[in-house]
Amino acid sequence: MAAAGLLSFIGGARRLVTGSARASDLFPQTKRDVDGEDCTHDCDSCTVKYPRHFKVEETHPLYGNIKPWSTHVLVATSKSDWSRRVEDERGSVMEAFGNASKPSNGRLMLSASNMPTPNNRPDYAQPTTILVLPAFTIVENVTPPAVPSLVNKYISRAPTTSDPLEPLTLPKTISSSRSRVGDMIARPCPHRAIVLLCSHRTRDARCGQSAPLIKKELERHLRLLGLDRDLDDERPGGVGIYFVNHVGGHKYSANMMVYRRPNAFGIDDVQRAKLPPGEEPVLQKPVGEEEAAVDPGAAQCIWLARVRPEDCENIVRYTILQGKVVKSDKQLRGGFDRTTGVMSW
């Protein structure tokens, strides 16, 4: 309890100094009279369970105790576990980011991911793909020698977590005099939301255990809505779910980060409690090419922890689909909302 009190004090002091948002001001929180009875209880059809001896820290206050970040890069590796420090993966794009100059627009969060490489093999000798957030763009044909150009010519110009939610023109090709495989190619990510789950077993076995189980349960609920997407499924719309390396706080497993486009599915303002019994909101159709061309990227990133399989139904229903938090006091670590201009740091 002493540790919990100290963390709470530190978090409060940080918010006082930086002016960061309180949890209640950052994201909408579900309420029974607005969101219906379902928001008050966990899934009762969930059959997925954590191992019997799966234990996480339950007493520390979570909110606000994360490092600020400006941009987030996911590197495709076609695997779900890595060296303790992903920058130590020899010959990898992650190693190249570790050695490159920092972006000029703030702190870069670097994540290795299980996104598929072009040849679907964990081969660092071949060009790979990255996902840049909050820009929601994919950059292809990335090699370690090209990373300095990628940082200077693209990532440093990309929107950040603190930028207003406005369209920003980024280059579609990024040249590098050091690349032997030609220009890098940038394009919009086809998904409406991205869910990241820490699967870094080398850092903590609980992450390696929890990530596949949470993914399985999320996909079960997304499948009913036609929003589930396999790793190489590029149909417009839907939700991409990727495993990433250590993001901090593995003792609060499972850690989940939800990046959402603005009003990702067209139902952010729907009050479920006012719908006829049994009726579900009608989801917005995927954006067309013309709309995607002026897409400002992610509006929100909602960072949750202590996620359990029985939480997944409401995380899909309220967090992924509507940008709301169900268990703010127990699970919200922080994040940003570019629509309102507030952050947890």
Side-chain angles (χ1 to χ4, degrees):
M1 290 302 292
L6 178 60
L7 284 173
S8 180
F9 174 78
I10 292 173
R14 182 185 294 119
R15 287 190 290 279
L16 183 64
V17 171
T18 64
S20 57
R22 296 175 299 176
S24 58
D25 298 328
L26 183 55
F27 304 117
Q29 301 180 25
T30 54
K31 300 177 182 178
R32 179 183 298 184
D33 60 336
V34 174
D35 302 293
E37 185 68 27
D38 287 337
C39 74
T40 66
H41 59 80
D42 294 333
C43 176
D44 56 11
S45 64
C46 179
T47 59
V48 173
K49 303 292 183 185
Y50 280 157
R52 180 176 301 177
H53 299 294
F54 188 95
K55 302 292 184 184
V56 298
E57 205 293 318
E58 298 279 3
T59 62
H60 291 172
L62 290 178
Y63 183 73
N65 294 304
I66 56 175
K67 292 182 180 179
W69 77 97
S70 295
T71 53
H72 192 175
V73 168
L74 275 64
V75 180
T77 70
S78 284
K79 60 181 185 177
S80 58
D81 194 29
W82 306 270
S83 302
R84 186 173 180 83
R85 291 181 68 254
V86 295
E87 294 89 343
D88 293 337
E89 295 265 317
R90 290 284 185 88
S92 70
V93 165
M94 294 86 72
E95 182 185 42
F97 268 105
N99 294 328
S101 299
K102 307 306 179 188
S104 60
N105 55 353
R107 177 176 173 256
L108 168 68
M109 182 188 296
L110 175 67
S111 294
S113 80
N114 71 331
M115 288 169 52
T117 59
N119 61 10
N120 289 303
R121 296 196 305 271
D123 183 359
Y124 293 150
Q126 298 298 317
T128 191
T129 302
I130 70 167
L131 173 62
V132 182
L133 297 164
F136 251 95
T137 54
I138 292 171
V139 181
E140 300 171 329
N141 209 33
V142 180
T143 59
V147 165
S149 294
L150 178 64
V151 171
N152 293 332
K153 297 179 180 180
Y154 194 85
I155 295 173
S156 290
R157 296 174 56 182
T160 70
T161 57
S162 60
D163 283 340
L165 194 63
E166 300 172 349
L168 181 66
T169 302
L170 291 170
K172 294 183 179 180
T173 60
I174 308 105
S175 61
S176 171
S177 60
R178 300 180 181 180
S179 175
R180 298 180 179 179
V181 295
D183 292 347
M184 294 168 278
I185 308 298
R187 60 182 175 86
C189 174
H191 303 312
R192 299 298 297 170
I194 297 289
V195 178
L196 307 180
L197 299 169
C198 178
S199 66
H200 204 169
R201 181 182 295 271
T202 297
R203 291 294 294 260
D204 195 293
R206 290 170 292 190
C207 297
Q209 294 171 330
S210 62
L213 298 177
I214 295 299
K215 181 176 185 287
K216 179 180 180 180
E217 191 62 13
L218 288 174
E219 288 179 333
R220 181 171 76 92
H221 295 289
L222 290 169
R223 193 172 298 117
L224 298 173
L225 302 168
L227 297 177
D228 61 308
R229 296 292 186 268
D230 293 333
L231 288 175
D232 56 357
D233 188 341
E234 297 242 333
R235 286 176 295 157
V239 180
I241 303 176
Y242 302 122
F243 295 160
V244 296
N245 69 288
H246 180 65
V247 294
H250 47 253
K251 62 184 176 182
Y252 308 125
S253 185
N255 272 278
M256 173 189 295
M257 301 175 75
V258 181
Y259 282 92
R260 304 178 69 248
R261 292 186 182 277
N263 199 4
F265 300 96
I267 63 169
D268 280 14
D269 297 326
V270 170
Q271 297 188 23
R272 291 172 180 264
K274 296 183 179 180
L275 295 176
E279 182 176 318
E280 291 293 323
V282 178
L283 304 184
Q284 173 182 294
K285 294 181 179 180
V287 298
E289 291 184 10
E290 185 174 326
E291 185 179 349
V294 294
D295 180 25
Q300 297 173 312
C301 176
I302 303 171
W303 189 338
L304 305 176
R306 297 178 182 141
V307 175
R308 304 188 67 84
E310 57 268 28
D311 297 319
C312 290
E313 181 177 42
N314 277 348
I315 287 176
V316 168
R317 179 183 285 135
Y318 298 108
T319 305
I320 295 175
L321 294 187
Q322 294 191 275
K324 297 185 176 187
V325 179
V326 181
K327 299 179 179 180
S328 176
D329 57 331
K330 297 179 180 178
Q331 295 183 329
L332 181 61
R333 293 193 69 182
F336 65 84
D337 192 324
R338 294 171 63 207
T339 305
T340 58
V342 296
M343 296 158 284
S344 62
W345 52 80

